[in-house]
Amino acid sequence: MNVIELKNLTKTYGKARGITNISFNVEEGEIFGFIGPNGAGKSTTIRTMLSLIYPTSGSAMIFGKDSVKYGPEIKKEIGYLPSEVFYYDNMKVKELLKYSASFYKKDCSKRITQLAEMLDLDLNKRIDDLSFGNKKKVGIVQGLLHEPKLIILDEPTSGLDPLMQQKFFELLKEENKKGTTILFSSHILSEVQKLCDRVAIIKEGELVNVEKISTLKENNHKRFKLESQTQVPHDYFKIKGVQNLEVNNHITSFLYSGNINMILQKLAQLELYNLWIEEPDLEEIFMHYYEKEN
Amino acid sequence: MNLFFREIKAARRSLILWSIGICFMVVSGMAKYEGLSGTGQSLQQMISEMPKSLQAIMGTGTLDLSTAVGFYAILFTYLQLMAAIHAMMLGANIIAKEERDQTAEFLMAKPISRSQIITAKLSAALANVVIFNLVTLILSITMVSKFSKDGESLTDIYLLMAGMFMLQLIFLAAGSSIAAAGNKPKRAASVGTGILLISYILSLAIDLNENIKLLQYITPFKYFEAKRVVAGGVLDPVFVGLSAIIIIILITLTYVSFRKRDLSV
């Protein structure tokens, strides 16, 4: 069964870019990644699904029901964490969570305590006084306290420290084991890779591809940048898997995908001052996508 | 109901401050009557000799200032203005604040329809307006009866308050429709207050210039003004009807436009 079904979902705002003909399905029990650079239309898509804004054309079906027509009904089973969390400043964390729970016809107090404990969140503080990361935690608890069947997360990890991210991911995996479907939007490929089964890639308001994570992993690119004592000869890195090679005096940079030991052996033979190995940014990954398609 | 109580709680402090404001107005205003009532007829005479424009601004007209109720009626003009500003700002802010404070994403992800949101918010605003009116009524009755001579009827005060209630409802609905229809939540309250002040100034202008008397239908401040109510002894049914129509139109506009538009987040 499809929990989310987007059919040619289009939203245009005056001049600003919206989204065009977005179509994909998310199956029940899936952790589905939704990835794209900032401003690609991820939040617009999600806000349309939640009928905060209405589609210009096309439709979003959630639990098989039209998201505009049956909005309040389907939202009973949705937990949503917005990308930027803003809450009623003069409330305490506990008050906000109680208020949030009061919209659902079930007792969530146990769950609130449990989640707060897990995320190390102080319930008696004023929301105003919380740091960005702690506000995000309030958002997480708020989104999960009614044990929804579908969790929608818009850039959920920003502001969380790595340890907390880890706990949060474990929490999501646990929910997923219980059968919860998760839509996880992010601009960081690595975190999507860690968690998701499939991803939809969006760029400039259009869907680029829907891929299995396993396929993406085969194209696990790393960006290498190194500063060497002498200029590296142009053909030194002419091995399989090296792309976009640039040699600029003592600085050399390239993208690499393939067996990591191979490249490390190559690097070991150089006299280096400095070395950076990074996740390539999405633009580069997308470039790769376009190349492959052509 | 949770949203209703949330809004009642959120508006509590502002309501208390406004109530203190009215209390100050009524008590200090009627205290002046005590000082002036000693001068008796001469006050009435002095005012009637003042230029008409000054009388208009003070809102005296045909009122008999030697009686406590007559004096109160002048004070009422300002109470009415306060009540209107309160209602307008309340109506505008209660709708606009979710978008202004960016809590709309929180609220809209909950299983609640936009119509339900408006209903809960307008009910909470209505409760506030009723309390505002009752506080004014109780204070007014207490203070006026303290200074009134025996046999002076207080019915006019009840009538004035009924008129003020209609005015409050008009401006409440105006505020909410401005916030619901516009997509600039930060500006809703200021736009509303601007419109309110224009219509207040217009009501003064009508007093100054007989030629524009027809405009009295477009400024609610003329509908239940003190001199009209006190002189007539009833609320003019034409204006009651007109108010009802305006309120219904504005409330419908609030629902329809809030349901239709994209929320700004």
Side-chain angles (χ1 to χ4, degrees):
Chain A
M1 193 194 119
N2 288 328
V3 170
I4 300 175
E5 256 182 271
L6 303 186
K7 272 188 208 138
N8 298 320
L9 195 64
T10 302
K11 175 72 192 174
T12 43
Y13 301 97
K15 272 182 191 167
R17 190 200 301 141
I19 48 171
T20 329
N21 284 328
I22 302 280
S23 304
F24 63 80
N25 297 336
V26 178
E27 286 160 29
E28 191 173 8
E30 221 178 352
I31 305 187
F32 191 89
F34 191 35
I35 193 157
N38 292 325
K42 301 187 295 285
S43 295
T44 303
T45 310
I46 289 174
R47 285 168 183 165
T48 312
M49 283 162 51
L50 291 165
S51 55
L52 265 143
I53 51 179
Y54 298 124
T56 312
S57 65
S59 68
M61 308 271 271
I62 295 176
F63 307 125
K65 286 175 182 151
D66 186 80
S67 72
V68 176
K69 216 171 164 188
Y70 297 95
E73 194 185 326
I74 57 181
K75 282 174 201 166
K76 281 181 198 163
E77 296 296 348
I78 295 181
Y80 172 50
L81 173 62
S83 56
E84 285 172 83
V85 280
F86 291 100
Y87 296 122
Y88 308 87
D89 278 346
N90 51 355
M91 277 173 133
K92 281 183 179 172
V93 175
K94 201 194 288 177
E95 287 170 335
L96 179 94
L97 295 175
K98 265 191 192 160
Y99 177 50
S100 180
S102 69
F103 286 94
Y104 308 99
K105 286 179 184 71
K106 46 176 133 178
D107 180 26
C108 309
S109 47
K110 234 191 207 166
R111 177 92 172 141
I112 291 174
T113 332
Q114 189 192 344
L115 286 168
E117 226 163 77
M118 196 186 284
L119 294 171
D120 199 15
L121 175 68
D122 186 350
L123 290 176
N124 291 311
K125 277 214 170 140
R126 286 201 173 275
I127 294 185
D128 226 1
D129 302 335
L130 293 181
S131 67
F132 182 65
N134 277 320
K135 275 189 189 161
K136 203 93 200 185
K137 288 186 204 168
V138 178
I140 295 170
V141 180
Q142 173 273 134
L144 298 183
L145 55 83
H146 56 293
E147 297 177 85
K149 284 186 189 145
L150 170 64
I151 301 175
I152 298 176
L153 306 159
D154 196 358
E155 308 262 350
T157 51
S158 57
L160 292 182
D161 61 58
L163 206 70
M164 206 41 76
Q165 269 191 35
Q166 193 64 35
K167 271 189 190 170
F168 174 52
F169 282 2
E170 275 163 28
L171 186 65
L172 289 180
K173 278 179 189 158
E174 228 171 84
E175 289 307 302
N176 180 244
K177 262 183 211 153
K178 288 189 235 164
T180 310
T181 311
I182 299 172
L183 178 69
F184 187 107
S185 136
S186 174
H187 64 274
I188 306 163
L189 189 64
S190 59
E191 62 180 32
V192 171
Q193 281 179 342
K194 253 187 247 171
L195 205 66
C196 302
D197 310 316
R198 287 193 306 150
V199 281
I201 299 170
I202 184 174
K203 194 191 176 191
E204 288 173 7
E206 288 181 48
L207 198 68
V208 178
N209 214 337
V210 179
E211 281 262 25
K212 278 191 178 158
I213 281 291
S214 49
T215 319
L216 273 181
K217 272 192 181 151
E218 283 165 21
N219 307 311
N220 191 358
H221 285 72
K222 291 270 181 277
R223 159 156 291 289
F224 281 77
K225 187 176 159 193
L226 48 102
E227 192 180 358
S228 51
Q229 207 169 25
T230 54
Q231 187 165 342
V232 179
H234 267 276
D235 55 354
Y236 185 78
F237 284 113
K238 242 186 179 170
I239 58 169
K240 194 175 161 275
V242 171
Q243 290 173 24
N244 302 7
L245 179 69
E246 268 177 55
V247 183
N248 201 344
N249 279 332
H250 299 265
I251 306 278
T252 308
S253 66
F254 56 86
L255 275 178
Y256 179 75
S257 74
N259 188 337
I260 206 82
N261 297 301
M262 291 270 289
I263 195 77
L264 284 179
Q265 275 170 23
K266 270 286 200 192
L267 287 171
Q269 289 163 32
L270 292 170
E271 193 69 30
L272 295 179
Y273 284 134
N274 218 335
L275 172 68
W276 298 264
I277 304 176
E278 291 162 341
E279 292 283 322
D281 58 41
L282 276 170
E283 288 296 320
E284 285 169 303
I285 300 269
F286 289 132
M287 289 308 286
H288 173 73
Y289 262 94
Y290 293 135
E291 276 164 26
K292 206 168 71 177
E293 275 163 16
N294 299 336
Chain B
M1 281 312 262
N2 50 356
L3 183 53
F4 172 81
F5 287 117
R6 164 88 206 110
E7 293 299 350
I8 292 284
K9 215 178 156 191
R12 203 176 40 187
R13 193 200 276 174
S14 131
L15 185 60
I16 291 172
L17 289 175
W18 277 98
S19 300
I20 294 171
I22 311 165
C23 186
F24 179 76
M25 277 289 282
V26 175
V27 172
S28 67
M30 289 313 288
K32 282 208 181 66
Y33 170 74
E34 191 181 23
L36 288 173
S37 62
T39 57
Q41 273 316 110
S42 59
L43 172 70
Q44 182 69 15
Q45 204 179 349
M46 193 180 79
I47 285 179
S48 63
E49 278 163 11
M50 285 195 311
K52 193 155 187 282
S53 53
L54 209 56
Q55 287 190 40
I57 287 163
M58 287 181 64
T60 54
T62 54
L63 294 167
D64 179 6
L65 299 186
S66 60
T67 65
V69 175
F71 188 87
Y72 170 79
I74 294 183
L75 189 60
F76 175 77
T77 310
Y78 301 98
L79 292 176
Q80 203 181 28
L81 182 61
M82 279 175 76
I85 293 174
H86 169 256
M88 172 67 93
M89 286 178 44
L90 182 68
N93 283 330
I94 210 165
I95 306 293
K97 68 179 179 187
E98 305 285 349
E99 287 173 275
R100 186 194 62 202
D101 302 339
Q102 293 173 285
T103 48
E105 276 197 301
F106 168 85
L107 188 60
M108 284 309 296
K110 304 289 173 229
I112 181 168
S113 71
R114 295 200 188 182
S115 300
Q116 287 169 322
I117 291 175
I118 295 288
T119 306
K121 282 178 176 274
L122 285 185
S123 311
L126 178 67
N128 272 283
V129 159
V130 168
I131 294 170
F132 187 107
N133 195 284
L134 287 177
V135 168
T136 316
L137 175 68
I138 292 166
L139 282 166
S140 302
I141 293 284
T142 318
M143 289 308 290
V144 173
S145 59
K146 201 175 152 198
F147 295 115
S148 65
K149 299 170 194 87
D150 292 336
E152 214 178 303
S153 162
L154 296 180
T155 328
D156 282 342
I157 293 181
Y158 290 101
L159 265 180
L160 287 170
M161 282 305 134
M164 185 171 104
F165 185 59
M166 294 297 275
L167 189 79
Q168 284 174 295
L169 292 184
I170 293 175
F171 281 108
L172 176 66
S176 71
S177 59
I178 290 168
N183 52 3
K184 297 224 166 46
K186 276 180 191 146
R187 283 177 49 195
S190 47
V191 169
T193 318
I195 292 172
L196 184 148
L197 288 178
I198 290 169
S199 66
Y200 182 69
I201 291 165
L202 182 62
S203 76
L204 293 181
I206 294 168
D207 281 340
L208 292 177
N209 187 349
E210 282 286 318
N211 297 333
I212 54 169
K213 211 181 162 204
L214 260 180
L215 291 179
Q216 66 178 333
Y217 293 100
I218 64 166
T219 168
F221 285 104
K222 284 303 269 180
Y223 294 2
F224 309 109
E225 62 180 343
K227 50 180 180 256
R228 192 197 303 272
V229 173
V230 171
V234 291
L235 297 182
D236 188 336
V238 174
F239 288 113
V240 174
L242 187 58
S243 303
I245 293 168
I246 292 174
I247 293 165
I248 291 168
I249 290 175
L250 290 175
I251 293 210
T252 313
L253 186 67
T254 304
Y255 275 98
V256 172
S257 41
F258 192 72
R259 266 205 314 245
K260 262 195 187 162
R261 81 177 159 94
D262 290 340
L263 295 183
S264 52
V265 280

